[in-house]
Amino acid sequence: TISRAKKSTATTPKPKPKRPQMRYEPDVPMTKEEAAVWRREQRRKRNRESAAASRQRQRDRIAELEDEVDDWKQKFEAA
């Protein structure tokens, strides 16, 4: 028999917990058109939030890189 090494799962990042699915179950039923409008608004809202988070991540990364550049400049000037 050939023994096979198991792959380590420690290196794989854990996936983010998924958001619960947006369901609209009102007391008063909506028409298909109203439900479509609601879903579209929810999708736009999620997209807006996602875009804002993406822009914030980008700003954070730029700040990290600027700090790194400053550190390298100081090290270079000290040498």
Side-chain angles (χ1 to χ4, degrees), residues 5-12:
K6 291 184 179 179
K7 290 186 178 181
S8 174
T9 57
T11 58
T12 58

Side-chain angles (χ1 to χ4, degrees), residues 3 12 21 28-30 39 42 53 58-60 68:
S3 66
T12 58
Q21 185 175 359
V28 178
M30 297 173 77
R39 283 193 303 272
Q42 293 302 309
Q58 188 175 19
R59 285 191 294 266
D60 292 345
E68 189 175 338

Side-chain angles (χ1 to χ4, degrees), residues 14-22 46:
K14 290 186 178 181
K16 282 184 169 180
K18 293 195 175 195
R19 292 175 135 182
Q21 185 175 359
M22 296 296 291
R46 286 192 309 270

Side-chain angles (χ1 to χ4, degrees), residues 16-57:
K16 282 184 169 180
K18 293 195 175 195
R19 292 175 135 182
Q21 185 175 359
M22 296 296 291
R23 282 228 168 108
Y24 186 62
E25 298 173 1
D27 296 330
V28 178
M30 297 173 77
T31 64
K32 285 186 177 184
E33 291 80 16
E34 290 171 333
V37 168
W38 182 84
R39 283 193 303 272
R40 194 175 312 120
E41 288 172 357
Q42 293 302 309
R43 187 171 57 245
R44 286 179 179 162
K45 179 182 171 188
R46 286 192 309 270
N47 187 57
R48 215 174 11 254
E49 292 169 354
S50 178
S54 176
R55 288 189 298 270
Q56 186 60 49
R57 283 192 305 273

